[in-house]
Amino acid sequence: MIKYNGWLFFFIFIFCALNSSADEWIRINQLGYLPQSKKVAVFMSETPINLQEFALIDVFTGETKRTFRTLRAGGSIGKMLCTYRLNFSDFEEPGTYCIKAGNTVSPHFPINHRVYHGTADFLLHYMRQQRCGYNPFLKDSCHTHDGYIVYHPTKTGQHIDVRGGWHDATDYLQYTTTTANAIYQLLFAYQQNPEAFADAYNADGHQGANGIPDIIDEAKWGLDWLNRMNPAKGELYNQIADDRDHAGMRLPNKDLVDYGYGPGKGRPVYFCSGEPQVRGTYMNATTGVASTAGKFASCFALGAEVLKPFYPEFAQEIGAKADDAYQEGVKKPGACQTASVKSPYIYEEDNWTDDMELGAIELYRTTKNPNYLTQAIEYGRCEPVTPWMGADSARHYQWYPFMNMGHYRLAQTDNQRLSNEFIRNMRSGIQRTYEKAVASPFLHGIPYIWCSNNLTTAMLTQCRLYRETTGDSTYEEMEAALRDWLFGCNPWGTSMVVELPLSGDYPIQPHSSLLNAGVGNTTGGLVDGPVYRSIFENLRGVNMDGIPGRPGEDYKRFQPDQMVYHDAISDYSTNEPTMDGTACLTYYLSSLQKEGMKQANGEPDRNIYQDGGIIRTDPSKKQITLVFTAADKADGADPILRILKKHGIKGGFFFTGEFYERFPQVIQRLKADGHYVGGHSYGHLLYAAWENRDSLLVTREAFEKDLLKSYETMRKAGIAYKDASVYIPPHEYYNKQIAAWARNMGVQVINFTPGTLTNADYTTPDMKNYRSSRDIYNKVMEVEAREGLNGHIMLIHFGTADSRTDKFYDKPMEKLIKTLKKKGYTFVFPF
């Protein structure tokens, strides 16, 4: 192996390469890669280059781990005259790496089993932000007067309670079309991958576990609304509000648009009449009710199944409605489009047999009535392939949902002939897309119509479901390319999900009223994605205006000829997050998390997180983790080691690089006793201001330089960074940005569980916050009596000032261990 002359030289080399004005770039998946997965980066250059090889370099050691010749020329794209696909799929060793090719170096990225951990749950941040009715992000309510019926033959003008649901995007319209698809996808994601979802929020969307996975809380929020939109048999509603909503950016709780009922006093609720509807210049092309009715039916049937363990009465209620909704579609076949008043932009859904197919097969799954299966097959044969797949263009949401989940359900039946037929249908759609994709260096064959990222997510889902059903890996590289496209392996080098990863390049100016008002970003939202240049140039009101004081990013250097993407708040065509696209990504990301767990032979992660750091292990287990930190003191070494050995306890020890250099004998004793020995920074930096945790005191460069130096001292002590991947930040103080930077380096932040005050054992009698050992012991026992200590991480300092003669790490710690053992607790280090 080639080795650079010292890690510091290598670190400087990397940053110089990344910040140079070179005309070469390497695009990667910024989240990283699972060890056993397709891994392909894309090299691109503004000048021709005959690339023969590329190298994978270990960021921590500077070693070239391997040189590859597995690259394929990809032709030109925009100003990039030369592209190559760099395939390193057969490299599976966990670590943190970068790619060197030509005269450039990629951003670094991790390869490990946890790169997708928590990503599906992360998307739910945006879903909670989009809640209508009570909004937990704003801690306020909106649209509480909805709404007033229109287009009903006898009830027009009457008020109906249809509060709740989600706003569709930055506007506050609400559509059954997109909401039902989002609900179904959330339910399906949980049904397929329940072990991937955590419980960190309650039903209202506020932090705090309620015993129900967060994705179920979110699906229930949507189903409550859908239930209200079907108040009686034969009474289905398709839409709340219309494009009169487009009255400038304002927060939803400040929405005073007047639809004729008074400013902010209620909005129209559109009945599914089955006839074209118009309330202004434009008329839609509604031909029936089936597209909406099928969506109601599939959501109610699957919702009843998935929610039964959590909400049995509600599950029974919506389950009883599923067939009634389905029969409305049978009576009134055809597509039910949305309505518009002032503009021509609506969801122009043309197809409907796919919705009825899914409704029928879900009813069959719950009832086993063969008539539903027969009908599902008939509907499924009407549209073997979702028409956008392989097409160059389509009208807005013309063929929706973008993936036919009914085909997958039919492919799962016990009838082999039937299964083969619908597997073939799934494969045909993928093959059509693949035939377009091979012409792209990014292996991306999606038409760049409005919401192209939603189509990307749909094809991702279809590829994975097809591969899992058949074992056929023919399209696995395209699947990986679609995945990587969403997280930075695209011409612009940006993630398409806001703040995922927080350490990477992501949309910082999405089209959002939250951002416009300065109250936050659309965290977790999947933006629309690139559109054909012709679409962008012909839309009303789109431009490159950014937020005040910060222009929009036009990515001019990287724009392909045929399409554009911009990070600008005024570009609603490419940079607006959508609720349905975001929800549809939960299945795929949760599948990747489950796959990572399987590769690691690990159990579901039941740890409790705060700002990206683990602050408590599985609260269902009566176990405690002892961790010790030190910067420059080791006076507790003898009593701590003696007590832990006496009681058969393995602990975690986290030291600064300076400690490693000062106390090498202590490190060797800890290693000999089998304890975990990890990092605590090199120079004991303070990362964030005490008075404002979100205010960084270090740059990313300073953080990574210090971290690398810390791990270099550990390596000299015989501790490889791969064996010390959990890390307690200096001063036990960090924020979500620090945790994200660490995660990008392949390092997981952990910290003590708040509440017991064991971390106050450093205080001295002259301090206002002084806590004696008795105070600390009593506090631990108080917390234990009140709520238990299951999963607690207890931090004790490895050394304290001489002026503190009352050393908790000695007799008080042993007393605590003995007491807690008698209460049935075990002491483990589970990381």
Side-chain angles (χ1 to χ4, degrees):
M1 293 183 179
I2 300 171
K3 185 171 181 181
Y4 290 93
N5 186 20
W7 70 268
L8 185 56
F9 170 81
F10 174 68
F11 186 87
I12 295 171
F13 162 74
I14 293 295
F15 269 87
C16 288
L18 290 177
N19 291 290
S20 69
S21 58
D23 58 0
E24 300 172 4
W25 295 266
I26 299 173
R27 300 310 196 197
I28 59 162
N29 180 331
Q30 298 176 90
L31 282 171
Y33 304 87
L34 293 173
Q36 298 168 38
S37 68
K38 290 290 183 183
K39 297 180 279 291
V40 181
V42 174
F43 171 92
M44 57 188 199
S45 172
E46 289 179 327
T47 58
I49 179 173
N50 183 21
L51 199 63
Q52 297 294 318
E53 63 183 25
F54 65 97
L56 193 67
I57 300 168
D58 188 314
V59 169
F60 279 86
T61 66
E63 294 177 333
T64 296
K65 298 297 292 186
R66 190 186 300 180
T67 298
F68 297 83
R69 294 184 176 273
T70 48
L71 67 173
R72 184 173 77 246
S76 63
I77 180 170
K79 295 181 180 179
M80 303 300 146
L81 301 181
C82 176
T83 62
Y84 287 88
R85 291 183 59 76
L86 313 179
N87 193 324
F88 55 108
S89 298
D90 65 347
F91 185 87
E92 299 182 358
E93 182 180 341
T96 305
Y97 305 98
C98 63
I99 294 171
K100 172 74 169 66
N103 296 312
T104 194
V105 179
S106 75
H108 55 254
F109 54 85
I111 296 176
N112 61 54
H113 301 108
R114 291 177 53 85
V115 293
Y116 292 102
H117 176 80
T119 54
D121 272 330
F122 187 82
L123 302 177
L124 301 180
H125 286 295
Y126 181 67
M127 301 302 292
R128 288 187 285 269
Q129 281 187 346
Q130 290 299 106
R131 286 192 183 188
C132 188
Y134 179 72
N135 186 290
F137 181 78
L138 296 172
K139 296 181 175 60
D140 198 1
S141 296
C142 64
H143 303 117
T144 58
H145 301 286
D146 287 342
Y148 292 91
I149 297 171
V150 294
Y151 282 103
H152 192 284
T154 62
K155 295 185 177 182
T156 291
Q158 293 183 19
H159 184 270
I160 182 175
D161 181 6
V162 285
R163 294 167 299 151
W166 302 288
H167 302 131
D168 199 53
T170 294
D171 55 50
Y172 302 132
L173 282 77
Q174 295 175 255
Y175 302 108
T176 299
T177 304
T178 52
T179 298
N181 185 37
I183 293 167
Y184 186 92
Q185 293 292 336
L186 294 174
L187 293 168
F188 183 78
Y190 179 77
Q191 184 186 58
Q192 299 298 306
N193 307 310
E195 60 270 63
F197 294 99
D199 173 23
Y201 290 81
N202 61 26
D204 289 333
H206 293 300
Q207 285 190 333
N210 65 344
I212 297 174
D214 297 334
I215 196 167
I216 294 296
D217 287 328
E218 213 54 38
K220 173 65 161 53
W221 183 266
L223 280 166
D224 281 337
W225 179 81
L226 200 66
N227 191 33
R228 293 189 186 104
M229 294 286 277
N230 177 206
K233 184 176 180 179
E235 191 173 347
L236 306 177
Y237 292 91
N238 197 51
Q239 176 177 334
I240 297 178
D242 52 50
D243 62 337
R244 286 173 287 180
D245 168 276
H246 299 166
M249 285 193 177
R250 72 277 181 204
L251 293 175
N253 55 339
K254 306 294 183 183
D255 184 9
L256 298 178
V257 172
D258 190 344
Y259 289 89
Y261 316 110
K265 296 299 182 180
R267 304 182 294 176
V269 183
Y270 286 77
F271 174 67
C272 295
S273 64
E275 303 293 332
Q277 296 177 349
V278 58
R279 290 182 54 84
T281 305
Y282 301 97
M283 179 175 286
N284 66 23
T286 291
T287 58
V289 170
S291 63
T292 296
K295 292 181 178 74
F296 272 103
S298 59
C299 284
F300 286 158
L302 181 59
E305 178 185 355
V306 174
L307 263 63
K308 185 176 180 180
F310 306 102
Y311 299 100
E313 292 181 2
F314 179 75
Q316 184 176 9
E317 178 185 353
I318 61 174
K321 285 186 169 186
D323 179 67
D324 288 343
Y326 176 77
Q327 295 305 328
E328 289 302 305
V330 173
K331 288 187 289 185
K332 295 182 178 180
C336 186
Q337 294 188 351
T338 64
S340 178
V341 174
K342 299 191 300 181
S343 69
Y345 306 142
I346 62 170
Y347 290 151
E348 301 182 70
E349 187 173 8
D350 266 354
N351 57 344
W352 56 272
T353 57
D354 55 337
D355 298 298
M356 292 297 287
E357 174 189 356
L358 184 58
I361 192 61
E362 289 297 346
L363 281 163
Y364 171 71
R365 290 182 63 254
T366 55
T367 66
K368 302 306 178 186
N369 183 334
N371 292 331
Y372 289 127
L373 179 60
T374 299
Q375 292 167 31
I377 296 167
E378 291 174 354
Y379 284 125
R381 286 172 176 165
C382 292
E383 188 178 272
V385 176
T386 303
W388 73 261
M389 297 178 183
D392 291 325
S393 191
R395 297 194 304 276
H396 190 44
Y397 278 54
Q398 181 179 4
W399 296 305
Y400 188 80
F402 298 122
M403 184 225 161
N404 190 337
M405 295 296 295
H407 282 6
Y408 168 71
R409 291 297 203 191
L410 283 166
Q412 297 296 302
T413 59
D414 293 333
N415 183 315
Q416 191 61 55
R417 182 189 61 80
L418 182 64
S419 177
N420 289 341
E421 175 183 350
F422 284 90
I423 286 172
R424 183 170 61 250
N425 292 343
M426 293 176 69
R427 183 173 62 247
S428 295
I430 298 170
Q431 176 63 26
R432 292 183 185 185
T433 305
Y434 180 79
E435 288 170 3
K436 288 189 64 181
V438 292
S440 164
F442 292 93
L443 207 58
H444 196 256
I446 303 299
Y448 300 107
I449 57 176
W450 212 343
C451 299
S452 65
N453 280 342
N454 293 11
L455 274 63
T456 297
T457 298
M459 182 50 61
L460 258 179
T461 300
Q462 184 150 318
C463 284
R464 184 173 187 90
L465 292 175
Y466 168 78
R467 179 164 56 88
E468 288 187 341
T469 300
T470 65
D472 180 4
S473 61
T474 300
Y475 306 104
E476 189 173 5
E477 185 177 345
M478 184 179 76
E479 177 190 332
L482 293 165
R483 172 200 72 202
D484 297 345
W485 175 275
L486 295 179
F487 296 106
C489 193
N490 53 53
W492 312 275
T494 181
S495 170
M496 296 293 177
V497 179
V498 178
E499 296 186 8
L500 187 63
L502 189 60
S503 59
D505 187 299
Y506 56 82
I508 60 173
Q509 296 197 50
H511 184 71
S512 163
S513 57
L514 300 178
L515 186 66
N516 184 67
V519 299
N521 209 337
T522 55
T523 302
L526 174 71
V527 298
D528 285 336
V531 298
Y532 288 119
R533 189 179 296 273
S534 59
I535 292 178
F536 173 77
E537 292 174 350
N538 286 284
L539 287 174
R540 300 177 180 182
V542 294
N543 57 64
M544 288 306 302
D545 291 347
I547 57 179
R550 187 162 190 171
E553 172 59 69
D554 62 8
Y555 293 104
K556 185 175 183 180
R557 197 172 188 180
F558 304 109
Q559 299 292 3
D561 294 329
Q562 63 173 339
M563 58 179 159
V564 295
Y565 170 77
H566 309 112
D567 185 13
I569 194 171
S570 296
D571 181 8
Y572 60 83
S573 68
T574 74
N575 209 41
E576 181 177 14
T578 62
M579 168 273 301
D580 59 316
T582 301
C584 290
L585 192 52
T586 57
Y587 161 71
Y588 194 80
L589 290 183
S590 62
S591 294
L592 292 179
Q593 178 172 331
K594 186 169 77 171
E595 184 179 332
M597 292 159 47
K598 182 179 179 181
Q599 290 183 20
N601 298 314
E603 296 180 355
D605 185 350
R606 301 298 181 225
N607 296 317
I608 305 299
Y609 289 77
Q610 180 175 303
D611 291 330
I614 298 171
I615 60 166
R616 189 172 183 176
T617 66
D618 188 344
S620 70
K621 296 181 179 179
K622 203 166 185 178
Q623 64 184 31
I624 293 169
T625 299
L626 292 181
V627 296
F628 304 82
T629 61
D632 57 2
K633 296 178 177 64
D635 47 285
D638 289 338
I640 289 170
L641 287 173
R642 173 181 54 79
I643 292 167
L644 295 184
K645 180 175 286 188
K646 178 180 177 181
H647 293 277
I649 294 172
K650 303 300 180 186
F653 294 81
F654 299 84
F655 303 130
T656 64
E658 293 171 345
F659 184 99
Y660 277 92
E661 293 170 343
R662 187 172 177 180
F663 301 106
Q665 298 87 353
V666 171
I667 301 300
Q668 297 310 314
R669 288 176 63 191
L670 290 166
K671 288 174 58 182
D673 283 357
H675 296 292
Y676 180 95
V677 189
H680 191 49
S681 82
Y682 179 83
H684 210 229
L685 304 178
L686 181 61
Y687 292 148
W690 291 113
E691 64 276 11
N692 181 6
R693 185 183 288 268
D694 291 333
S695 177
L696 285 168
L697 298 178
V698 294
T699 64
R700 180 173 184 174
E701 181 178 357
F703 168 79
E704 293 186 350
K705 183 177 179 180
D706 177 81
L707 189 74
L708 287 172
K709 190 174 181 180
S710 169
Y711 275 92
E712 174 68 9
T713 60
M714 293 166 60
R715 185 186 64 79
K716 292 177 180 177
I719 301 169
Y721 78 91
K722 296 174 186 178
D723 297 326
S725 60
V726 295
Y727 170 84
I728 294 183
H731 305 282
E732 294 80 54
Y733 195 64
Y734 69 99
N735 57 31
K736 64 180 182 180
Q737 185 67 74
I738 293 295
W741 288 344
R743 180 167 175 164
N744 183 246
M745 298 288 285
V747 173
Q748 175 62 54
V749 166
I750 68 170
N751 206 5
F752 63 86
T753 308
T756 63
L757 293 184
T758 59
N759 58 301
D761 66 335
Y762 74 94
T763 57
T764 55
D766 59 309
M767 295 179 177
K768 290 182 180 180
N769 64 336
Y770 174 67
R771 295 290 187 274
S772 70
S773 292
R774 175 177 291 184
D775 292 336
I776 293 170
Y777 178 88
N778 290 339
K779 183 65 175 179
V780 172
M781 301 315 299
E782 174 193 323
V783 172
E784 197 284 328
R786 183 176 68 248
E787 58 193 50
L789 297 172
N790 288 13
H792 265 243
I793 302 172
M794 289 188 184
L795 185 141
I796 298 168
H797 287 91
F798 199 67
T800 60
D802 293 342
S803 57
R804 182 180 179 111
T805 57
D806 177 19
K807 305 289 189 180
F808 185 79
Y809 56 62
D810 201 343
K811 293 179 181 179
M813 183 181 79
E814 184 166 24
K815 178 183 177 184
L816 182 67
I817 289 171
K818 288 179 178 179
T819 304
L820 293 176
K821 275 192 165 185
K822 288 180 180 178
K823 288 181 173 287
Y825 292 94
T826 58
F827 290 83
V828 300
F829 189 81
F831 302 105

